[in-house]
Structure formats: structure tokens, C-alpha cells
């Protein structure tokens, strides 16, 4: 049996799809589906670049740079966002697939790759749903109504803690639930181990992004 990845059906009927994934003799890498997800992510980032979103950190530089230099900085941030739309999902896909393959028993790399392809699809849905709020209300991922960044802002003024909690969204929780459910079918580990492996990889990823934010802030300050 050859497994056929159906992104929407995997979210609507995970029982059937993960049962099929468990017994499939051939599990393709589904490069076409990955390309489709990256295309959606790229479209979102192009729209963000067009509206000059995520450039609010440059506002304090207006007095220090000429108009051309300021516009160049905005262009570079937009272009970086477009590159990030491709690099970040692929990095997440490869890293988490290796992570689950290494730490969970009886999970093949291609099975983990399929599960995490569904994960990046969920994150892309999140980016698409946040986009109208970014354009019309000026919010970003940290102040997203779908994440805990706004709540964290009520309890702390530490921007890195706020940034950390801003990455904890309903789409992240949805992703982790899907991963835990899938690997509970595929792996022979106890569920508590699967939960710990799933949570730990996302905490590491968020901590790394917070560190990158610190580096960016350091160079812009």
C-alpha cells in the first residue's frame, strides 16, 4: 500500500489517515504538497512585504538615515521575510522529522516527515488567518489574537518573555495535538514520552527564535 497524503483530510479525519500511514508499505515524501504549502507561505510573505508589515522596529531609525537608506532597510526586511517563508518551514520540517525519528521508537523518518508536513500546513493556515489582522489592525505575531503574547503583556514588560509567549498560539497547540495523536499511533513509546518529546522540540524552537530576536534587536539598537 502506498500512502497518499491529503492535507485537509488529515485534519478532518486523522484516524483514517494515520492508520493508513501506520500500515503503508511505501511512504512518499510528497514534494508536491510541500511545494504547495511553501507557495502559500510565500504569497503571505509577499503581501506582508507589499504592505511593509513587520518593519515597525525601523521607526526609530528615521532620524539617523536618509530616505533612500530607510527604504532600502524596509526592502531588505521584506526580502528577508520572503526568504524566511521558504527557509523556516523547510528547517522546521527537517529538524522536527529528525527529532521524532531519533527520540521515538518504531517511527520511520518518512512517517515523521509526513506528520510534520501536516504541521507546517497548520502553521501556514495560521499565517493566512493572521494576515487580515496585520493589514487592517496593525497587529503582528506577538500581538496576535490567536496567541498568548497579549496576555503575557499584562503580567510583564520583558519583551523577550512577551515574544516567547507570542509564539504559543492555538495553531501551535493544534500542531502539537496532531503530532501527539499521530505518534501515539506510530510509536511504541508511552504517551507521556511522546508528549515530552513533542513539547520539548517546540520549546527549543521558540527559544531559538527568541535568541534570534535578541540578536536582531542588539544590532538595531
Amino acid at each position: 500500500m502506498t500512502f497518499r497524503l491529503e492535507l485537509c483530510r488529515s485534519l478532518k479525519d486523522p484516524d483514517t489517515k494515520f492508520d493508513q500511514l501506520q500500515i503503508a508499505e511505501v511512504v512518499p515524501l510528497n514534494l508536491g504538497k510541500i511545494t504547495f504549502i511553501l507557495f502559500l507561505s510565500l504569497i503571505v510573505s509577499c503581501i506582508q512585504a507589499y504592505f511593509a508589515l513587520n518593519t515597525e522596529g525601523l521607526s526609530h531609525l528615521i532620524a539617523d538615515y536618509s530616505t533612500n537608506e530607510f527604504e532600502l532597510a524596509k526592502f531588505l526586511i521584506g526580502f528577508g521575510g520572503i526568504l524566511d517563508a521558504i527557509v523556516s518551514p523547510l528547517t522546521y520540517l527537517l529538524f522536527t522529522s529528525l527529532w521524532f525519528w531519533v527520540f521515538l521508537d518504531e517511527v520511520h523518518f518518512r512517517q515523521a516527515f509526513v506528520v510534520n508536513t501536516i504541521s507546517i500546513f497548520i502553521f501556514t493556515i495560521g499565517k493566512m488567518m493572521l494576515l487580515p489582522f496585520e493589514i487592517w489592525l496593525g497587529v503582528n505575531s506577538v500581538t496576535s489574537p490567536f496567541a498568548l503574547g497579549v496576555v503575557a503583556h499584562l503580567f510583564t514588560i520583558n519583551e523577550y518573555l512577551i515574544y516567547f509567549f507570542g509564539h504559543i498560539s492555538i495553531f501551535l497547540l493544534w500542531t502539537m495535538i496532531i503530532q501527539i495523536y499521530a505518534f501515539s499511533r506510530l510509536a511504541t513509546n508511552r504517551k507521556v514520552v511522546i508528549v515530552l518529546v513533542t513539547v520539548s522540540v517546540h520549546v527549543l524552537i521558540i527559544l531559538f527564535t527568541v535568541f534570534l530576536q535578541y540578536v536582531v534587536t542588539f544590532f538595531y539598537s
Side-chain angles (χ1 to χ4, degrees):
M1 171 186 171
T2 300
F3 179 78
R4 184 180 173 212
L5 176 58
E6 300 169 287
L7 293 172
C8 293
R9 190 181 174 194
S10 296
L11 300 179
K12 292 170 55 180
D13 186 16
D15 282 322
T16 301
K17 296 308 297 182
F18 294 139
D19 282 343
Q20 292 174 356
L21 181 59
Q22 183 182 31
I23 64 175
E25 298 171 351
V26 179
V27 181
L29 293 181
N30 299 286
L31 298 181
K33 297 293 174 63
I34 295 169
T35 302
F36 171 71
I37 295 170
L38 294 179
F39 175 74
L40 293 178
S41 180
L42 188 61
I43 290 296
V44 172
S45 290
C46 287
I47 295 173
Q48 290 174 326
Y50 177 80
F51 286 99
L53 303 175
N54 301 324
T55 59
E56 62 274 5
L58 293 176
S59 57
H60 68 286
L61 300 176
I62 295 177
D64 300 327
Y65 292 95
S66 67
T67 301
N68 289 338
E69 289 173 331
F70 186 74
E71 290 300 321
L72 176 61
K74 287 170 60 177
F75 169 78
L76 291 176
I77 288 179
F79 183 71
I82 291 173
L83 287 180
D84 182 66
I86 298 174
V87 174
S88 288
L90 289 177
T91 302
Y92 175 90
L93 180 59
L94 293 173
F95 177 70
T96 53
S97 297
L98 284 170
W99 181 275
F100 288 114
W101 177 49
V102 169
F103 289 103
L104 295 181
D105 299 329
E106 302 301 325
V107 173
H108 302 293
F109 177 80
R110 286 178 176 249
Q111 291 176 324
F113 196 88
V114 166
V115 174
N116 292 313
T117 299
I118 299 169
S119 300
I120 63 172
F121 181 57
I122 294 173
F123 285 128
T124 304
I125 292 173
K127 289 178 64 175
M128 294 170 65
M129 292 188 65
L130 180 61
L131 187 60
F133 293 91
E134 292 180 297
I135 294 173
W136 290 308
L137 298 180
V139 304
N140 54 33
S141 59
V142 177
T143 56
S144 167
F146 307 115
L148 294 180
V150 176
V151 177
H153 196 277
L154 299 175
F155 300 98
T156 181
I157 59 173
N158 186 302
E159 61 180 308
Y160 299 109
L161 279 176
I162 295 171
Y163 191 72
F164 178 90
F165 284 102
H167 281 80
I168 303 177
S169 67
I170 60 173
F171 300 101
L172 175 62
L173 296 178
W174 186 8
T175 294
M176 290 195 295
I177 290 171
I178 286 289
Q179 289 171 335
I180 291 169
Y181 186 78
F183 291 119
S184 296
R185 298 291 188 94
L186 301 171
T188 57
N189 305 80
R190 291 184 301 164
K191 182 166 286 189
V192 63
V193 174
I194 297 171
V195 171
L196 288 175
V197 170
T198 303
V199 171
S200 61
V201 69
H202 289 98
V203 170
L204 283 175
I205 292 171
I206 294 174
L207 288 174
F208 181 71
T209 59
V210 171
F211 171 73
L212 290 181
Q213 178 67 18
Y214 170 79
V215 173
V216 170
T217 303
F218 175 80
F219 282 106
Y220 274 118
S221 60

